[in-house]
Amino acid sequence: MTLKCGRRDVGILAMEFWQAGGGYCWHERKLVEESKLAECFAILENGLRTERDIACFEALKAAWRQFSIIKDQIAQWMLEGEFEKAKQALANHGRERFKQAVDLVVEWMEH
């Protein structure tokens, strides 16, 4: 099976990942969705043709790495039952870093 991914697909997968939840099965789903997203990133990277697209993609990868740091910490706190810490990190850092990544995708798509 060939997975086709474009800039829009990465944005949609990112949004679906962020909205995933429910019970502790959320963690298993998180891992599956992260794997799909990593595959999309690899496919997208292999299809880049212009210097601008390459630069935009590199900026997106950097922003996504920053989001992943806090995302993984939030997930760890959730698994440990540290819900207040997770909530605060989400409110103070997670949403901001996610928005930065999504804003880069939107800017890239608009030009």
Side-chain angles (χ1 to χ4, degrees):
M1 179 177 155
T2 302
L3 182 61
K4 295 181 182 180
C5 293
R7 291 177 284 191
R8 180 177 167 80
D9 298 314
V10 170
I12 290 170
L13 273 173
M15 292 299 284
E16 287 175 353
F17 165 76
W18 190 252
Q19 294 169 352
Y24 279 100
C25 66
W26 64 267
H27 191 256
E28 289 79 23
R29 181 160 180 211
K30 171 187 171 293
L31 297 176
V32 169
E33 296 300 324
E34 285 174 337
S35 176
K36 289 179 189 177
L37 190 57
E39 189 174 344
C40 274
F41 268 70
I43 291 168
L44 181 60
E45 185 172 27
N46 288 333
L48 298 175
R49 300 288 181 253
T50 69
E51 287 184 33
R52 182 183 182 285
D53 283 343
I54 292 168
C56 288
F57 181 74
E58 290 301 319
L60 173 60
K61 277 192 339 186
W64 195 258
R65 275 192 301 271
Q66 289 302 308
F67 168 68
S68 290
I69 292 168
I70 194 66
K71 170 189 54 80
D72 292 342
Q73 180 61 65
I74 290 168
Q76 185 62 40
W77 282 328
M78 292 287 292
L79 291 170
E80 293 170 356
E82 297 283 347
F83 302 117
E84 189 57 37
K85 280 185 183 179
K87 179 181 172 184
Q88 291 301 316
L90 175 62
N92 294 327
H93 304 291
R95 288 182 180 138
E96 175 186 324
R97 291 183 188 178
F98 182 76
K99 184 180 180 321
Q100 289 170 349
V102 171
D103 286 348
L104 285 169
V105 171
V106 169
E107 182 181 331
W108 186 9
M109 288 173 36
E110 288 179 345
H111 292 100

